[in-house]
Amino acid sequence: MDWLYIVKLIVYVVLVGVVAAPNIGLFFTWMHRKLGARMQWRIGPPLYQPWADVVKLLSKETIIPATAHKTTFLVAPPLAVASAVLAIVIMTPFAPPVQVYHISFTGDVIVVLYLLTMPAIAAMIGGSASGNPYASVGVQREMTLIFAYELPFIMAALVPILKVGSLRLADIIGYQLEHGPILFSVSGFLACVVLIMVMQAKLTLPPFDIPDAKTEIVAGPYTEYSGASLALFKLAHAVMLFAVPLFISDLCLGGLIVRSLSDPVTLTLDIVLIVVKLVVLVLIAAFIRFFNPRIRIDQAFGMFWKTATVIAVVALALSFVPLPYF
Amino acid sequence: MPAEKPESRLEKTVELPIGPYHPAYKEPEMFKLYVDGEEIVDAKIRIGYQHRGIEYLAQRMTIQQIVFLVERICGICSTSHPICFCQAVEDAMNLEVPDRARYIRVLIGELERIHSHLLWAGVALHLIGYDTLFMYFWRYREPVCELLEELTGNRQHYAMICPGGVRRDIDLKKMKPKILRVLDEIKEPIAKVGEAVAKDKLVKARMVGVGVLTKQDALKYCTVGPTARGSGLKIDVRVDEPYAAYKEVGVDIKVLSEGDVMAKTLVRVLEVLESIEIIKRCLDAMPNGPIKAEFKEYPVAEGVGKYEAPRGEDIHYVRLQGTTVPYRLKVRAPTYANLPSLVPQLIGESIADAPIIIGSIDPCFSCTERVSVVDVKEGRTLTLTMSEFNEFGRKRKNPLKVK
Amino acid sequence: MIDLSLIMLLMVLAPAIGGFITLGLGRARTAAGAVSSVASFISLLMAGMLVYKLNVEGIAWQAEPKVEVWRIGMAGMTWEFEVTMLNTLSILFTALLGFLIALYSTRYIAKYDGKGYYHSLILWSISAAIVAMMSLNWIPFLVFWEICTLTLFFMVRAGGSEAKMPAYRMLLLLATTDLLMAIGVALAVSQTGSLEIVALTGLSPFMVGLVFTLMLISALAKAGGIPFHTWIPDIAPSSPSSTLALFPGAYDKLLGIFKLAVICHFLIVFAPSYSTAVTVIGMITMLLAVLMAMIQHDIKKLLSFHAVSQVGYMITGIGIGTPLAIAGGLFHMVNNVVFKSCLFLSAGAVIYVTGVKEVERLGGLAKKMPVTFTCALIAALAISGVPPLNGFASKWMIYQAAFEATSISPVNAAAGIVAVLASALTLASFIKYLHSVFLGPLPKEFEGVRDVPLSMKAPMVVLAALCLVFGLFPQIPLNYLILPSLNNLNIVWGVPQALPLDWLYLAPSSWASWSPVVATFIALFALALGSLLYTAGRRIQPFTFRAEGVKPFVSGEDLVVHYHGGHFYGPVKLSFKRFYEVAEMGGFSIAWRAVASAFKPLLRSPRNGVFFVYALWIIVLIIILMVGVGT
Amino acid sequence: MTGLVTWARLKSPWLFHFNSASCNNCDIELVDAITPRFDVERFGILVEGSPRHADILVVTGFVNRQAAPRLRRIYEQMSNPKIVIALGSCATSGGIFANSYNAAGPVDRVIPVDVYIPGCPPRPQAIIDGVVKALMKLQSLGGGKK
């Protein structure tokens, strides 16, 4: 057994999973709230707000309602955080392709695809374990939303895979290093549009924040959660806010890659590119979020299975065309 | 109330409560929705969480004190009830209100209509999750509240009205330019935001064709105010039975015929723009002169006051018994008339639309809580059913005597 | 070492003799149960020895790993039985499931007025299935294949009166499709001249096509492929759960898919047109069955539709044809056998305790039945393909094979997409199953409910543990069972001779290896991080679990409403209205209606005796056909 | 550690609004505090949908007999440490409806109250000042014994 490799792995997991992912996620949450406030003539919360919210929630008491099934109710939040963190660790952000940390393996796109749905599954299991009628309606809507966006999501994710011909993130990023990001090809662009729509639904941001609609069903699956378990769900949501844009940038925008650590020029250029890619995706999500009302679950279902699937099919068909810019 | 649903459909459904302490509404009211999956099969409305026994207290206060009590029936339409009550008292004493007071009443009434409709439009958009426009509407409402504060001393509960006229005069020279500047400042943005609501694809998806109240239903359930005007009924107390200075100032009723939530929203936005015009005309035509008519004796008589509150027709009935304390005060608030019309609007719609449909009649439950009739002598409370209440209104037969 | 033939003899005869003994015991249920458990355990032991022998003596990884043992001369024909790596794979799991279900039904059958012969039926079906898998030529294969159908028929009949008609319908459908296979076999034998199950060479393409379709139909009917799946949901509501767990849950897949693999990759040259045909059938099975499953109200029917949809994955795997795809299909067969029977047993446990089948009237059983709930949760997550469990490992192999095979034909890409979508829909209906049966508030009438006795809990726990073990260490089943068995199907398998099986399966050299252990290690690490945050919070604020007096927040009112999963997917029904209307009309049981219309007089006649005679007549016909052709 | 937690509690107080029979003017002033002019989100204050998520319970209106049991139940469902604010003169002293037959007394006869905000209706500035006083009380709680 190669102990050195295991030590490197642990350091890597701690560095990315425990330190970087939650903090970047919370920073993006702050960006969303500040931007939203700014668009509504308001000043908006200070920079430290998401951190304060999480620490405060951690210090509060956790109440378990009488109708809840205690173990499942308590296990769901850490499960959500664990799968979100695992998704980021596997997507190996900021990893120069040559470095040994790069543990990308064939089929990791499929594994990440599943891991990005796990927080929603954890919320549903937690919600239905809490025994609250609003939570049950929230679970039903969350499930309908999941398999509404599953079809367009897998088709859009398939476009880069078929173009590159491999299921390995490292190959996809490598291909984009030579041929330029997949976004610049027509099919890539269409796939990116569908992926952004699906990102909005995966992060349950308006117009798809149907599962935890504040004005209809109180807080959806999270109604009965309080104290530390609610903090973990909020943390999982923050990590997802970093994970999904990262997945889309890996698939379509050429990934967050530092080409070479040596010469300073490309290094700064790469870092700027990384920041721009992530921030642009988060900004798009924020704009869509603050300029749209919440749509009903059957409208969302129709929108995903009609418009999004048609675009994805067209993108898929185009990706088979061998011309350069298709 | 609709005919009872076929039993098979009902027992398969789940009863999902919206309220009483639901984040969507600022006030407690309970809607028991019988839900089959996402579709509403039947709805039962249960109010009474706000009941404060105002009519009981009114039988212990003098006329002047009642004006303040009646003002606190509802925080948003807090000048409708006092004006309506004072008109009932003036009708009982057939007192003549001086012209300037009538114009000031119109001015305060219309300013309140603007801030009430803006408030509602914001809350309605919040109900469908569009918080940005909620903030926009409320941002343009703030200047109106500040204006009211300068005119009357308080953002709401202005305490401007007293039987026979108005308590404070308005120094037109100083206030008129300020009022006109504020109104011009908010007129343009509100029209733009209103258009944004009408044009936005997703807002239309949530509002057009949702919670439709057909004209026949509107008539059958005798709805009042913007809820009725959104379904094509051309009724407005300011035009049908003009009070205060509305005959001289003139009002152009805004009516839309679709009857869905979008129509009710746009009717209110148009009414805000119309109120701005009314205020301008009222300020130009305001005469000078006394602001209050004195009265000495209290006759034994009864009087009815009618007023077009932001939510609809508000009726006060007062019976004086020769002393300063009235024998009986009866208030019929507009939301009470609009509430039953909710059931046909809710049935067939999905749960997600329930809050916006309930919100579309701009419910103000604080005004609605006076149905219970209190028999002081035997100390028993009798809550009237809908039919008994109508019968009382039609035949003027006091239910207390019957039982 | 005991030589191979003794193992095979014991493995087959122990349950057969056990069957007769339990028949004699009749009413004494516990005794019958004990005998049947012991007998099936012996056969399991022997199967285990078999696998051990094959792997240890290195036979597994030869080019053609098979051990030819028996040659029984009977009535002028010699019947050979052999043990190849492929059929050991199915035999091991047949024996394992047989034992677990025998153990389970010792107490479970008490509910179905203790039919003594139920245990003997289980034992006979174990031995019949094993012999069918081992047989080398057609006649023993067909005869024991028919016996399995008959034992299934009687086990369904054990479900009481309302199980009568579904049982007959099932027998009719299976018997007819077996007749078709018999005709196919007759044609094949007449062409090749020998009764052996051997590659059909020298046949005209049309003849190969005909034989292939005939055999395909019977394999699909046995496994539950789409046009012929109707009998599984039909028998589900009324027959006992142990029957459902044994046959639709395990044996049909082991027999049906095993035969499909043999047909597609051993008997004929798998032309691309056949590959697309089989993949398309697989895709349709996956999607339609899971869509039907979402709207079911009866838990057993819901699970049976899922059994059919999981078969779709295996058919797609075998249909795509690349080595990785077939390995994925076989691995999914093994996994499905494990978690599907666990789900059927958990449903049986719920019905054993509450006596209620409808989703609407159940709820909150998790607190009262903790063991059943945990096993059902693990199995449900496994079937939906959630990472650390075995469902994910095999589904992931199928997706990867499908996407890598898109260069061969775009149909494979479509198969991959449909597979991912079907797994999302499976997740949907299992969230509904877990939510409305186990979680949520507990209805009054189930207050006094207690968990099932140990003899019913043990099998479920074993199966759930298997889900976890196969999920965390997929290389154990892959290296020892599935990859070597590919050599039997004359497929050149590119992987080096034997994958280095170090404990962590880390294979640091080649990065291209997804190691679930490492992933679970990271997940556990993150879970530790989560609980660390819990404890950090705890020190500051006392961690009070005020569970008793606190009611759920229903905006003030203190009414407890269980929003059960009955109509969980209203909006879905709206968008698939067309599909569900066709389903209501019975659009999918075309095959069944075709067969039924042919035998209209028989069906209407109340005298079901005639019915029974007809079934026997078919078997006799098959045998005569064989003998005729053989000589 | 407790310093950080107290800082966090001061910086993100979440409110849950409970309207026990008020004329909904205080509620509108509370919502005014959220809208652009007085935006309380810059202090980290949010109005939450479920009592489980909230630290501060804002009660408006004189508690009538219908609302009293529900108020107690909602108070119970909030997780410690929690603060109660009685908003408006009705909540502090029953206001103009004090001697109505349907009164179950002002808020402090139903649940323990920490901060009273007088005024009918109290201006948004007064509400923000009241919340600040509530935070000082939360700070004094420190170890979260309440």
Side-chain angles (χ1 to χ4, degrees), chain C residues 178-193:
Chain C
D178 290 348
L179 180 61
L180 290 179
M181 185 167 82
I183 299 163
V185 163
L187 285 171
V189 167
S190 63
Q191 293 292 336
T192 60

Side-chain angles (χ1 to χ4, degrees), chain C residues 317-569:
Chain C
I318 290 172
I320 292 172
T322 60
L324 180 64
I326 300 169
L330 289 178
F331 190 26
H332 195 67
M333 172 180 84
V334 164
N335 291 337
N336 187 272
V337 157
V338 171
F339 50 65
K340 182 43 75 180
S341 43
C342 182
L343 281 167
F344 273 123
L345 295 187
S346 72
V350 165
I351 295 168
Y352 178 81
V353 162
T354 59
V356 160
K357 286 202 286 257
E358 290 74 25
V359 164
E360 282 81 6
R361 292 167 44 217
L362 288 168
L365 291 174
K367 286 201 274 287
K368 298 290 178 192
M369 305 165 76
V371 173
T372 320
F373 169 63
T374 15
C375 296
L377 182 68
I378 293 174
L381 291 180
I383 198 169
S384 336
V386 166
L389 297 168
N390 60 355
F392 174 74
S394 52
K395 277 187 184 173
W396 171 60
M397 281 169 86
I398 292 174
Y399 298 149
Q400 186 159 346
F403 293 142
E404 268 163 12
T406 39
S407 47
I408 304 168
S409 80
V411 169
N412 299 340
I417 293 171
V418 165
V420 171
L421 181 64
S423 96
L425 295 172
T426 320
L427 175 72
S429 40
F430 273 96
I431 292 287
K432 161 175 143 164
Y433 171 68
L434 288 174
H435 168 70
S436 37
V437 172
F438 289 103
L439 301 170
L442 187 72
K444 297 289 166 297
E445 66 263 32
F446 300 137
E447 288 300 333
V449 155
R450 266 185 14 279
D451 209 340
V452 279
L454 180 62
S455 76
M456 291 169 78
K457 266 193 263 189
M460 284 195 275
V461 168
V462 165
L463 288 172
L466 266 181
C467 282
L468 268 173
V469 164
F470 281 1
L472 285 177
F473 306 102
Q475 67 275 15
I476 294 177
L478 281 173
N479 277 354
Y480 286 103
L481 289 169
I482 293 159
L483 296 185
S485 57
L486 287 182
N487 299 347
N488 281 99
L489 297 169
N490 56 44
I491 293 162
V492 158
W493 172 240
V495 167
Q497 196 51 15
L499 286 172
L501 177 74
D502 59 25
W503 171 69
L504 264 176
Y505 193 66
L506 279 180
S509 55
S510 77
W511 290 106
S513 55
W514 150 258
S515 70
V517 175
V518 169
T520 338
F521 161 71
I522 298 172
L524 290 178
F525 185 79
L527 273 174
L529 161 87
S531 42
L532 186 71
L533 289 174
Y534 263 162
T535 42
R538 195 187 171 105
R539 256 209 333 285
I540 297 122
Q541 164 63 30
F543 210 34
T544 48
F545 285 100
R546 283 191 293 132
E548 340 66 34
V550 181
K551 290 255 182 355
F553 169 67
V554 185
S555 51
E557 290 303 298
D558 67 351
L559 48 92
V560 177
V561 170
H562 180 43
Y563 187 77
H564 52 67
H567 32 67
F568 229 46
Y569 294 111

Side-chain angles (χ1 to χ4, degrees), chain D residues 79-92:
Chain D
S79 61
N80 290 328
K82 53 193 172 194
I83 297 278
V84 176
I85 295 183
L87 184 62
S89 43
C90 290
T92 32

Side-chain angles (χ1 to χ4, degrees), chain C residues 222-246:
Chain C
K222 194 76 174 177
I226 263 301
F228 310 98
H229 71 293
T230 43
W231 61 277
I232 298 181
D234 193 13
I235 64 170
S238 47
S239 65
S241 300
S242 48
T243 321
L244 287 172
L246 192 64

Side-chain angles (χ1 to χ4, degrees), chain A residues 176 244-256 277-278 281:
Chain A
Q176 290 179 49
V244 179
L246 176 65
F247 184 58
I248 292 178
S249 78
D250 276 359
L251 280 185
C252 295
L253 308 174
L256 313 177
K277 277 178 198 161
L278 277 182
L281 277 173

